[in-house]
Amino acid sequence: MTTIKLHNTKTRQKEVFEPLDPDNVRMYVCGPTVYDRAHLGNARPVIVFDVLFRLLRHVYGPEHVTYVRNFTDVDDKINARAIENVGEGGDVNAEIARITEMTTQWFLDDMGALGALEPTQMPRATQYIGQMVAMIEKLIADGHAYEAEGHVLFSVESYATYGALSGRSVDDMIAGSRVEVAPYKRNPMDFVLWKPSSDDLPGWDSPWGRGRPGWHIECSAMSYELLGESFDIHGGGNDLMFPHHENEIAQSCCAHPEGGFAQVWMHNEMLQVEGKKMSKSLGNFFTVHDLLEQGYPGEVIRFVFLSTHYRKPMDWTEAKAREAEKTLRKWYAQAAQGVGTGEPYKPVINLLADDLNSAGAIAECHQLSLADDVSMLRHTLQFLGLMGDDVPAWASAPKADLSEFEVQLFEARKTAMKTKDFSEVDRLKSAFVEAGVEVRMSKERVELVPGPGFDPAKLEGVV
Ligand code: AMP
Ligand code: ZN
């Protein structure tokens, strides 16, 4: 059996992965809060842990792996969005139901387009309120949580190893984060397990009055219900390490001290835009849907993600996408001649088994392509989620021939040099750019390079 090694955030080391039960390998990954389109950064953990899911299924057998990824469908950001949409006096609860349902489907569609398999289970937080209340009651009974002014707070001082995952002391954490100071907190680091809800917001009856759960308790309750008090892998972006994952550990380990909660913690690095994390709050984001709409095939986006190791920051660039598309077109042309589905290339499995070296796996595919091993290339692309049963339609369509337009633009430029009137050149240039074509122009020649988002329809009647 293939030995898998994974980098464990908890020990800061690459370790040999030994599942608690090889007949049921269990993984939990924090899923999205559903109130908007997923941005490209949100796709990173989805793709990273999809690769791991595929690898685990390959090694242990598909029926021996349980992958849980939740939907957070109760959250202040959702409430705020609903209130924004319907205004004062509107039906906020109906709007919340509409938003969460719609954006959940969007998420599934977008991630499906990126070749991500559906996890075994996708629990919605609102369906596990009873389990959350039970866990909070247990934490109170055992002295790890207290009620204050309709809130229930987790007492950080009650858990001696709080902060161990990120390796920070409580003082560091207070200094480095914006902890919400509230008069009812015994310690500023204490965090909310339950809070009161006004009548117009989602709320559930509880021993502490009508209210709703805090974010962290959701993952603890759902993972306990679906995977048990200890399981193998817990994943998410490294922006969640503190406070979210520290808080999950504190809650789960205090509520179920006999279990070890997650054995291996894995965190993907961030997708960046000019050196900064892509995020909704910074406003420097674009959505997966935007890219798909612009014509970037999901396989191209996935390929770009796989080309960088998950523990390294990565940038999305147009140049990377163009290169990925070129490579995939070449590979698909070869893979189309391969037969059926079958076992992926063993060296690719070995690279992925080495802490998900997906960049190395892509390099191995280049080798298969050079060797013209068309069937092995086909099976390996299928395994990596870069190809389904067949070559995707976009790749089998012939690449646009723009040579006629290159001549047209070259002639227009020559004329403009004489007349000093560049308006026609500018008009043509912007029409090409608008249609998703890169224009390279020099004295000697004009080159038109269609990008992945090229839409020939946009050129009709314009040039
Ligand atoms: P959120 O909806 O913000 O809780 O994020 C959902 C998931 O996306 C979490 O696992 C985050 O860690 C991850 N995530 C958010 N922004 C980025 C980013 N820029 N790069 C990679 N992962 C991200
Ligand atoms: Zn979580």
Side-chain angles (χ1 to χ4, degrees):
M1 189 184 278
T2 307
T3 301
I4 299 179
K5 287 185 186 162
L6 299 172
H7 183 273
N8 188 351
T9 307
K10 204 156 78 170
T11 57
R12 288 159 191 77
Q13 275 172 20
K14 208 148 80 170
E15 297 170 347
V16 172
F17 175 64
E18 286 175 77
L20 296 165
D21 175 5
D23 284 336
N24 186 17
V25 181
R26 287 157 290 164
M27 170 161 82
Y28 185 94
V29 174
C30 299
T33 303
V34 278
Y35 67 103
D36 212 340
R37 285 272 181 201
H39 65 62
L40 192 62
N42 299 137
R44 195 166 191 197
V46 174
I47 293 174
V48 165
F49 292 104
D50 178 65
V51 171
L52 180 53
F53 184 38
R54 287 167 184 267
L55 176 69
L56 293 170
R57 286 162 60 97
H58 177 79
V59 173
Y60 295 96
E63 64 285 5
H64 298 299
V65 183
T66 306
Y67 172 22
V68 177
R69 186 186 64 214
N70 70 293
F71 284 108
T72 294
D73 61 350
V74 48
D75 187 273
D76 289 356
K77 283 186 286 221
I78 302 173
N79 298 347
R81 178 61 57 89
I83 292 167
E84 195 182 303
N85 287 358
V86 298
E88 281 296 318
D91 190 343
V92 175
N93 282 293
E95 180 63 6
I96 287 173
R98 193 188 71 84
I99 293 176
T100 53
E101 203 173 303
M102 176 176 73
T103 53
T104 295
Q105 194 54 50
W106 284 351
F107 184 86
L108 292 173
D109 292 345
D110 290 347
M111 299 310 144
L114 301 184
L117 301 174
E118 287 203 349
T120 324
Q121 302 221 45
M122 297 187 281
R124 285 151 214 239
T126 51
Q127 285 161 6
Y128 292 80
I129 302 289
Q131 288 87 338
M132 294 177 208
V133 168
M135 195 175 235
I136 296 171
E137 284 184 303
K138 185 152 196 308
L139 288 171
I140 295 177
D142 294 347
H144 292 292
Y146 58 95
E147 186 189 356
E149 297 179 26
H151 294 70
V152 181
L153 292 130
F154 185 90
S155 168
V156 166
E157 277 166 15
S158 78
Y159 183 53
T161 52
Y162 186 77
L165 178 69
S166 46
R168 291 192 262 190
S169 71
V170 171
D171 287 344
D172 282 352
M173 287 186 272
I174 293 179
S177 72
R178 281 173 294 167
V179 290
E180 197 192 334
V181 187
Y184 48 79
K185 283 190 184 179
R186 290 184 195 159
N187 178 317
M189 289 299 290
D190 291 351
F191 57 88
V192 168
L193 301 172
W194 189 263
K195 58 183 156 193
S197 270
S198 57
D199 287 342
D200 51 341
L201 288 180
W204 292 262
D205 290 329
S206 81
W208 322 286
R210 187 173 177 279
R212 59 188 192 274
W215 170 37
H216 316 298
I217 195 73
E218 297 177 8
C219 287
S220 284
M222 288 185 278
S223 62
Y224 176 67
E225 179 71 16
L226 297 170
L227 298 176
E229 63 193 19
S230 45
F231 55 92
D232 299 297
I233 299 167
H234 192 311
N238 67 358
D239 57 333
L240 299 186
M241 208 187 299
F242 175 81
H244 184 54
H245 290 163
E246 294 287 7
N247 293 354
E248 277 190 41
I249 293 172
Q251 295 162 159
S252 295
C253 292
C254 288
H256 303 287
E258 60 291 355
F261 197 38
Q263 306 298 299
V264 181
W265 282 85
M266 292 179 67
H267 291 97
N268 62 273
E269 251 295 348
M270 294 291 102
L271 178 81
Q272 302 187 333
V273 183
E274 284 161 26
K276 287 210 177 69
K277 172 190 170 186
M278 176 180 282
S279 76
K280 289 210 174 105
S281 55
L282 290 175
N284 61 349
F285 69 94
F286 42 89
T287 67
V288 173
H289 184 69
D290 288 340
L291 284 182
L292 294 169
E293 285 279 283
Q294 286 161 30
Y296 291 90
E299 294 86 357
V300 167
I301 301 172
R302 186 176 176 96
F303 184 105
V304 171
F305 275 103
L306 296 185
S307 303
T308 302
H309 190 257
Y310 78 97
R311 287 195 291 113
K312 293 204 177 103
M314 73 166 273
D315 277 303
W316 168 266
T317 66
E318 173 72 37
K320 282 187 195 170
R322 199 174 298 131
E323 202 49 44
E325 192 199 347
K326 221 169 84 187
T327 304
L328 280 175
R329 276 184 185 277
K330 187 176 82 188
W331 290 357
Y332 288 144
Q334 293 178 295
Q337 293 155 36
V339 286
T341 47
E343 288 292 297
Y345 192 40
K346 185 73 177 129
V348 163
I349 296 297
N350 291 343
L351 283 155
L352 294 180
D354 183 14
D355 195 30
L356 301 185
N357 183 357
S358 56
I362 294 284
E364 280 300 328
C365 291
H366 278 290
Q367 295 304 319
L368 285 176
S369 165
L370 281 173
D372 207 25
D373 192 344
V374 294
S375 289
M376 188 56 88
L377 182 63
R378 180 186 181 102
H379 306 156
T380 306
L381 292 178
Q382 286 170 333
F383 172 77
L384 289 170
L386 291 169
M387 186 176 154
D389 288 340
D390 268 308
V391 171
W394 64 267
S396 30
K399 189 84 181 167
D401 178 9
L402 298 175
S403 52
E404 187 190 322
F405 296 124
E406 287 174 343
V407 174
Q408 189 183 351
L409 185 53
F410 185 71
E411 291 303 324
R413 185 178 183 279
K414 240 169 46 187
T415 310
M417 294 301 281
K418 287 189 202 129
T419 61
K420 302 287 172 225
D421 175 5
F422 282 85
S423 55
E424 177 62 4
V425 174
D426 290 341
R427 193 187 67 79
L428 288 171
K429 253 172 76 177
S430 43
F432 290 126
V433 172
E434 182 68 14
V437 180
E438 190 194 335
V439 180
R440 296 177 191 162
M441 208 159 44
S442 70
K443 262 207 297 274
E444 291 78 33
R445 62 200 221 102
V446 165
E447 205 185 340
L448 295 176
V449 189
F454 173 56
D455 179 5
K458 285 203 179 146
L459 290 177
E460 270 166 38
V462 188
V463 296

